Structure formats: C-alpha cells, structure tokens
Amino acid sequence: QVQLVESGGGSVQAGGSLRLSCATSGGTGSRYCMGWFRQTPGKEREGVAFIRTGGEWAYYVDSVKGRFTISQDNTKNTLYLQMNSLKAEDTAMYYCVADSTGFCGANRDYQYWGQGTQVTVSS
C-alpha cells in the first residue's frame, strides 16, 4: 500500500517561492506516475505537474510552465514541486498523487492521494 505525505505548504507573498515535498512509502516502482493536483473551494480540481518515476519526461499545466518544476529524489523516496514567481491564483490545497497504471497526466483519476498541503499566496 503506497502512502503519500505532503509538506512544505504555507503563506507567501506574490512573487515568492515555496517547495512542496511528498514523502512516499510502500513502494513506488519504476513505472509509477507521480504528480500534483490542486483544488480551491468552488473550483474544479486541476492537474498541475506530473512525472514518470525514473524518467525525465514531465507534464505541466500551461498556467505554471516556466514557474514550477517537478522533480524526484529516489534516494529519499520524495517527490518535489518547486514553485517560483507565485501568484495569487496559485492559492489552493495541493495534493500529491501516484499510480502504477495508465497514462501520466492530468485528465485521469489516480489510485493514491496524499492528505494535501495548503498554499496561500497574497497579492
């Protein structure tokens, strides 16, 4: 059973940076897709960034391209989301996800979810 635990959220002013971490346990193997969703009350969930474990391919939603970077440290079993040049519209609860099957991207459900970490950007 894969478990995901996010950390790193917080409050920051517009233009600032945060790095989210997702500690994984239970074995995310070489073919797992991992990524980040975000959700704001009253809005649809949005897929932000995704990466195939062990690979260099990554997907980003257009609104974060050039500002966010997804990466992983396999020695620490941790997924990261470096968020720079943050905007007020990035304010949301961010969730780490993982799945061993299916395509790696935003428009799908994922088997494993973390509990979420809140990011608040003030303008």
Side-chain angles (χ1 to χ4, degrees):
Q1 180 77 9
V2 173
Q3 293 186 323
L4 309 173
V5 179
E6 303 98 331
S7 62
S11 297
V12 64
Q13 290 193 336
S17 298
L18 284 174
R19 188 176 78 160
L20 305 184
S21 299
C22 175
T24 69
S25 61
T28 50
S30 61
R31 295 300 300 167
Y32 267 76
C33 174
M34 299 193 68
W36 297 89
F37 279 88
R38 63 187 180 186
Q39 189 161 27
T40 303
K43 293 186 178 180
E44 288 191 3
R45 184 182 67 193
E46 179 182 48
V48 177
F50 300 86
I51 190 169
R52 178 74 69 181
T53 305
E56 295 183 356
W57 175 89
Y59 162 88
Y60 297 93
V61 68
D62 285 347
S63 59
V64 308
K65 285 180 180 177
R67 301 188 298 121
F68 291 12
T69 303
I70 189 170
S71 63
Q72 55 194 176
D73 185 336
N74 293 327
T75 65
K76 297 181 179 179
N77 293 324
T78 302
L79 180 75
Y80 300 102
L81 185 67
Q82 177 67 44
M83 306 186 295
N84 298 328
S85 302
L86 282 162
K87 304 176 181 180
E89 50 263 44
D90 295 318
T91 295
M93 184 71 80
Y94 283 72
Y95 297 91
C96 177
V97 297
D99 204 315
S100 62
T101 63
F103 76 91
C104 198
N107 298 317
R108 56 159 294 182
D109 291 327
Y110 280 78
Q111 184 176 9
Y112 302 107
W113 289 74
Q115 83 287 352
T117 186
Q118 178 68 38
V119 171
T120 302
V121 184
S122 57
S123 57

